[in-house]
Amino acid sequence: MPQKPLIAGVPWRNELDLKTLVENRTTYSLNNCELNIFETHQKASSVNLSFGDLVLTTMIKGKKVMHLFDNPGFEYLPGESVIVPPNELMKIDFPEAKWDNPTQCIALSISQDMIENTFNLLNEKLPDKEWQKQWGLDLNYFHLINNQDLSEIINRFIRIGVNERSKEKDLIASLALKELLIRLSQTQARDILEKTYKSLANSNRIAHVVNFIKQNLQENFTLESLSNKACMSKTHFSRTFKNEFGLSPMEYILEQRLNKSAQLLQNINYQIQDVCMLSGFNNVTYFIRAFKNKFGETPKVYQARFIHLP
């Protein structure tokens, strides 16, 4: 599978400072939010945790099994985030945690006032949404794969919480928190789109365009052809797409082509040139450069890792 953008590491607690080996907690309090860093150094199961505010949890290292909403447990891995409503009980298993392989994650609890004020402002200033009719979070889609934008702002927020010492710390954190909520909403919108675009392709203009892109990745797309598909002007379509998902239509197409190429590279029968063409790239050099920029390694190295070539 393609690599996920990961969250940068945060300092581990000194062994002498650990109060417990299971979910040892370090807290950084800020205006409108609280940043918690949890470490677990031994196997455990059915560890209960809840917060009074909505919480964004993000895995940094190791593996958990999360149980939410009385549903079966799911694996929770680095590069992923989970949105948890206020007062919702999390039951957590740590099947692999041990002293030399600990688990680390963050839990950012955010005040309801901050959430409402941020999304109310967005709905006032940027009301022309096509996909999700309003800015906000849909708690039915709570388990997310982090994209680069979301990972970057989470990393920045952690640095502010842990390292910032200036008198402006709370103001800086508040501005970063607003951006984090925007990126979280956009990431969730993209996740919902990936899950539902087929069923909505005949009733939603954005879903219709996305369905067309996914079915025709080898085509030479233009902004004009895509905006025509959406029955929108180029300017309106481009602005709407960017506001909804946090990236332009052409950036989305590049992402889809790279994800497609990563899937194809797991097949030993495909050469790099074949994958380039089948994914919609018409220049091998550009494809290799773009692939390495997204996944951190060349297509050849990536393929060898998955199919165990020497």
Side-chain angles (χ1 to χ4, degrees):
M1 294 294 291
Q3 296 176 350
K4 307 164 190 169
L6 301 183
I7 304 303
V10 296
W12 293 95
R13 293 296 297 272
N14 184 287
E15 181 178 351
L16 298 177
D17 294 333
L18 292 175
K19 298 181 177 64
T20 174
L21 296 182
V22 178
E23 290 293 67
N24 189 84
R25 178 176 181 176
T26 305
T27 300
Y28 301 89
S29 296
L30 299 156
N31 281 350
N32 295 305
C33 64
E34 182 181 83
L35 174 64
N36 299 275
I37 301 172
F38 290 95
E39 304 171 17
T40 295
H41 297 260
Q42 68 180 24
K43 291 182 180 180
S45 60
S46 299
V47 177
N48 293 336
L49 185 64
S50 66
F51 291 85
D53 290 314
L54 180 140
V55 175
L56 172 66
T57 73
T58 299
M59 283 295 292
I60 299 174
K61 188 177 188 300
K63 171 183 168 181
K64 293 182 180 182
V65 175
M66 288 276 283
H67 304 262
L68 283 172
F69 312 116
D70 296 321
N71 292 332
F74 59 90
E75 287 192 352
Y76 189 19
L77 303 170
E80 301 175 3
S81 292
V82 170
I83 305 169
V84 184
N87 303 309
E88 180 67 32
L89 182 64
M90 295 175 265
K91 290 190 176 183
I92 310 169
D93 302 331
F94 302 86
E96 299 175 357
K98 51 186 178 181
W99 187 254
D100 60 353
N101 184 35
T103 296
Q104 190 178 54
C105 76
I106 67 162
L108 178 64
S109 63
I110 308 171
S111 75
Q112 186 62 29
D113 284 346
M114 171 59 82
I115 296 169
E116 289 180 355
N117 290 340
T118 300
F119 290 134
N120 285 342
L121 179 63
L122 287 166
N123 285 318
E124 177 185 341
K125 299 297 184 182
L126 299 170
D128 54 340
K129 287 175 71 66
E130 286 284 338
W131 179 243
Q132 291 176 295
K133 295 307 179 184
Q134 287 192 316
W135 287 93
L137 300 174
D138 186 340
L139 297 180
N140 292 311
Y141 297 87
F142 54 87
H143 186 195
L144 305 174
I145 305 299
N146 296 344
N147 57 35
Q148 194 66 44
D149 288 337
L150 181 58
S151 292
E152 286 176 359
I153 185 58
I154 292 174
N155 278 328
R156 194 179 341 138
F157 196 89
I158 291 172
R159 288 196 298 271
I160 293 168
V162 174
N163 298 321
E164 182 67 39
R165 295 291 182 268
S166 72
K167 62 182 179 181
E168 298 85 9
K169 178 175 182 175
D170 279 320
L171 177 58
I172 294 170
S174 291
L175 294 172
L177 188 57
K178 289 179 185 293
E179 181 183 348
L180 192 153
L181 287 168
I182 293 170
R183 298 301 185 190
L184 184 58
S185 180
Q186 290 172 330
T187 301
Q188 188 182 60
R190 288 165 64 184
D191 184 70
I192 296 171
L193 180 70
E194 294 298 317
K195 291 181 171 70
T196 61
Y197 73 91
K198 286 184 179 179
S199 62
L200 297 176
N202 293 326
S203 59
N204 181 279
R205 291 188 286 186
I206 298 296
H208 177 65
V209 172
V210 166
N211 188 54
F212 175 73
I213 290 171
K214 286 178 175 290
Q215 291 184 358
N216 299 277
L217 277 178
Q218 295 179 51
E219 282 207 16
N220 183 24
F221 299 110
T222 65
L223 187 58
E224 182 174 12
S225 67
L226 295 176
S227 61
N228 286 339
K229 284 283 181 184
C231 299
M232 302 164 72
S233 71
K234 289 192 293 184
T235 301
H236 185 205
F237 172 69
S238 185
R239 182 176 65 248
T240 300
F241 201 99
K242 179 82 171 182
N243 286 344
E244 297 274 0
F245 307 118
L247 73 177
S248 70
M250 294 307 164
E251 289 170 337
Y252 180 80
I253 291 167
L254 176 59
E255 180 183 82
Q256 293 302 304
R257 285 173 171 164
L258 289 170
N259 289 341
K260 176 69 173 179
S261 69
Q263 295 174 0
L264 293 172
L265 284 167
Q266 297 176 42
N267 188 326
I268 192 172
N269 296 317
Y270 288 127
Q271 300 296 315
I272 301 301
Q273 292 84 351
D274 300 328
V275 171
C276 174
M277 180 189 67
L278 291 171
S279 302
F281 294 94
N282 55 21
N283 183 293
V284 174
T285 301
Y286 172 70
F287 164 59
I288 293 172
R289 184 169 66 248
F291 190 95
K292 186 174 182 181
N293 184 57
K294 178 174 175 64
F295 297 116
E297 56 193 8
T298 65
K300 184 175 181 180
V301 171
Y302 183 90
Q303 186 179 55
R305 179 162 57 84
F306 274 89
I307 60 180
H308 308 295
L309 290 177

